[in-house]
Amino acid sequence: MSDQDYFDEGALVGVLTTQPLDRVLDYKAPEGGCWLGAFVEVPLGPRKVIGVVWGPGRGDWDINKVRSVMRVLDTAPMRSEMRSFLERAAAYTLTPMPAMLRLATRAPGLGDPPSMRKIYRRGEGTPDRVTAARTRVLEFMSEYGDLSFTLKELAELSGVGPSVIKGLVKQAVLREEDAPRDVPFPPMDPTLPSKELTDDQAAGVAALTATAKSRDYATTLLRGVTGSGKTEVYLEAVAACLAQGRQALVLLPEIALTAEFLKRVEVRFGARPAEWHSGATMSERRRIWRMVGTGGAQLVIGARSALFLPYRDLGLIVVDEEHDTAYKQEEGVLYNARDMAVLRASICGAQVVLASATPSLESWVNAEAGKYKRIDLTSRFGPSVMPEMRSIDMRAEDLPGSRWISPTLQSEVKARVQKGEQALLFLNRRGYAPVTLCRACGHQVGCAQCDARMVEHRFLKRLMCHQCGETTPMPEACPSCDAVNKLAPVGPGVERLSEEAEALFPDARIAVLSSDLFGSARALKEQIVEIAEGAADVIIGTQLVAKGHNFPKLTLVGVIDADLGLQGSDLRAAERTFQLMRQVAGRAGRAEAAGTALLQTFQPEHPVIRATLAGDEEGFWRAEAAEREAAGVPPFGRMAGIILSGPDVGQVFDVANHLARNDQPLRQIGAQVYGPAPAPIARIRGRHRVRLLVKAGKGVALQKAVARWVAQVRLKGELRLAVDIDPQSFF
Ligand code: ADP
Ligand code: ZN
């Protein structure tokens, strides 16, 4: 059906709602009729719910009982392109449609009438009395009098209290008016000058611009070391897209959505783009949602869920740091925003740019196979060069068991601090110590709700479970044997590392960057900016710092435990470690001073460490691809994870075993089932978790088979089943 389909009053329409029902419901089109795709309010039992007209009604209900649509909402109807995107994403991720629709309507108050707010502009009157505060307002208004402001803006910008403004309204010096709250975003100007590009940047821009003009779907892997100008290049692709009159979306891992980045975008296009992220207020979200639908927002910079906004004409999706695990939603609808971006673009004739210094193996293989185009930026922009990388062989270092900064690393850090440069000590472990051990009985303090260890957070004076977030005060006695004062921290966390650094570098300013030390994402970003500007000499950080921020004074990166991540059964462990090492190393020497990266390791001859040090990326990928191909695992085969969970472990295993035995639907496509086994984290929030893993060949209809297979069991009571297609992590 096309967007032109219209249902006359009284015609039967099928409405998809966000309620967990397994079908669209029949209603009668309201007075005046409605378009296919219209957002509507319908009665459901005693309630009113929001839905979308999804097609003609099925007509399988008693026509006398079919109720009428109550009203059509005042927003643009959902386009057919968006409807098929949601349907195909649902089929891919095996997600029920109502959950998909919830994802696509995550803005509050969509059903409300467009709300109004008060705005203020210059009026005709003159004040009865002139005060300093009033003069400030008048001077401000004589400069900007043709613009209008909210009370808060005007008070802040002219430096007076709101009562001053209200007083001026009374005398008609200012006019108070009602204006709609959801106003268009300021227009972007793609014709502002770009930077002067290097040759390989210019070649990349030319290729992306040509694709933008063709208005065809294409995906391009944009590869280049940190600092090579990937952002410059894709911003020109954004310009080309905007010049076509189409909308553009730049997806970033949430933490990379920094003020610094937004400023760059603003400089390039002369106005601030729409920002979609978890920190956005409810009214901002609603404004973006609506404006994207009408074309009043041309450019959206957002975290992964921005992919589900109702764009009017989306022409480009950039996925920056495309390898980042933050793109995989691990709760609710399990989707990978990178893959869904490709799906959406292929439906609406848009181009996708996947930017990364260290692409995922999936994208690398797709580019090798010719499914994606590929652009390589081979050198860093300007004088900065890739850091020199060396390993520190920890077997040869003289270091007591409770310390982690080797003498070699220590003297390198000292040398930087003396020169007024910055050093980063990277450790991907939050908190003080990963294990709290009783020296009397050997007990390791664990979470009461999960099978995970409690991590000491000395800063918060609590133990915390990194799985469920449960915290408890630091106990004085061992919870197992009651011995007092016997609990000891084992292993390093960033907080503990900072104590060691304070002792080793007493004259240095030391800053710890870890997500849990900040009340909000905003506070964290502010701190990052201050540190980047030089507020610290030694930075201690978790993987947060690996994500795309500029530290111009940083010339040394010390990776405390390069072996972390090499262990473990995760099929992507090697890839993750390689990417992380490369990115962290990429922080060093971004500006003029050349950087050094030192990797502390007990296995300097491990292939991942060696490839990292050699900077041999193609070599690493080729080896890793060969290994996965031989094992028939993604991206050379397909996988699905099934997690069954419930409060009763026996019941959970019963159902899992039943599924494992009745695997005919899977055998029909040549797929195998592994398990059931306790999930690596066998209990979360008191729920026991059992995992089955399905492995299949590349070209098979995996989702259909899995859907038929899991439909064999009926989930009673508190039992839950989650399907994770293309699982990224295995917890
Ligand atoms: P990446 O996204 O690959 O990490 P960026 O686009 O952020 O790289 O570029 C790194 C730095 O170099 C930025 O400060 C950017 O403004 C600057 N830069 C890159 N290319 C150019 C250019 N052609 N002219 C001027 N500055 C550039
Ligand atoms: Zn827990």
Side-chain angles (χ1 to χ4, degrees), residues 447 449-450 465 468:
C447 174
Q449 300 294 314
C450 310
C465 170
C468 69

Side-chain angles (χ1 to χ4, degrees), residues 195-198 201 225-232 264 381 590:
K195 300 213 165 99
E196 200 171 313
L197 300 175
T198 63
Q201 288 173 349
V225 294
T226 315
S228 59
K230 295 185 294 300
T231 310
E232 287 315 322
R264 261 176 97 171
F381 176 76
R590 284 205 56 165

Side-chain angles (χ1 to χ4, degrees), residues 32 42 61 122 170 204 206 211 238 243-244 265 287 304 318 324 385 440 613 622 700:
V42 293
W61 275 2
R122 187 76 169 95
K170 272 206 195 104
T211 309
V238 169
Q244 294 287 311
V265 175
R287 177 183 176 207
R304 64 185 172 223
V318 175
D324 199 297
V385 285
L613 293 174
R622 265 196 302 276
V700 305

Side-chain angles (χ1 to χ4, degrees), residues 178-443:
D178 286 319
R181 198 177 281 282
D182 299 330
V183 293
F185 286 82
M188 300 277 136
D189 184 356
T191 65
L192 291 177
S194 67
K195 300 213 165 99
E196 200 171 313
L197 300 175
T198 63
D199 286 350
D200 60 354
Q201 288 173 349
V205 169
L208 295 176
T209 303
T211 309
K213 286 192 175 147
S214 78
R215 296 178 160 249
D216 289 333
Y217 159 75
T219 296
T220 305
L221 176 60
L222 173 60
R223 236 206 88 225
V225 294
T226 315
S228 59
K230 295 185 294 300
T231 310
E232 287 315 322
V233 170
Y234 74 62
L235 286 182
E236 293 317 303
V238 169
C241 168
L242 297 179
Q244 294 287 311
R246 305 184 82 187
Q247 292 164 301
L249 165 65
V250 176
L251 290 180
L252 298 172
E254 176 106 34
I255 188 65
L257 241 165
T258 57
E260 184 201 20
F261 179 83
L262 290 163
K263 188 78 212 155
R264 261 176 97 171
V265 175
E266 190 177 343
V267 167
R268 176 61 185 84
F269 298 110
R272 264 183 101 80
E275 295 160 46
W276 178 269
H277 54 88
S278 60
T281 63
M282 293 297 151
S283 53
E284 280 173 80
R285 286 175 94 84
R286 198 188 55 181
R287 177 183 176 207
I288 296 173
W289 195 94
R290 289 190 175 211
M291 287 305 125
V292 149
T294 60
Q298 294 165 283
L299 173 58
V300 178
I301 312 288
R304 64 185 172 223
S305 61
L307 198 56
F308 291 89
L309 289 169
Y311 300 91
R312 197 179 65 159
D313 182 11
L314 186 60
L316 169 69
I317 307 172
V318 175
V319 185
D320 198 358
E321 313 276 355
E322 67 91 32
H323 60 276
D324 199 297
T325 51
Y327 284 122
K328 181 67 191 273
Q329 164 93 10
E330 299 279 13
E331 254 172 46
V333 182
L334 306 177
Y335 68 94
N336 187 320
R338 178 195 64 217
D339 300 343
M340 291 301 118
V342 170
L343 174 63
R344 178 149 201 185
S346 69
I347 296 172
C348 67
Q351 81 164 316
V352 179
V353 176
L354 305 176
S356 176
T358 52
S360 60
L361 189 74
E362 274 83 356
S363 297
W364 184 81
V365 167
N366 280 332
E368 286 290 288
K371 278 209 252 172
Y372 296 171
K373 301 176 190 182
R374 178 166 160 176
I375 295 172
D376 283 273
L377 302 179
T378 43
S379 59
R380 282 190 166 189
F381 176 76
S384 57
V385 285
M386 266 314 270
E388 178 204 353
M389 297 211 254
R390 279 182 275 129
S391 63
I392 296 178
D393 187 343
M394 295 299 277
R395 293 167 303 192
E397 295 282 327
D398 182 18
L399 199 62
S402 56
R403 287 190 26 210
W404 290 275
I405 302 171
S406 65
T408 307
L409 183 55
Q410 182 189 337
S411 65
E412 296 272 356
V413 171
K414 274 213 171 105
R416 310 296 148 143
V417 174
Q418 272 160 14
K419 279 194 278 180
E421 298 170 358
Q422 283 179 329
L424 166 69
L425 299 179
F426 174 79
L427 177 65
N428 206 8
R429 272 189 165 151
R430 291 181 289 142
Y432 187 80
V435 178
T436 301
L437 181 82
C438 172
R439 276 174 290 147
C441 74
H443 176 74

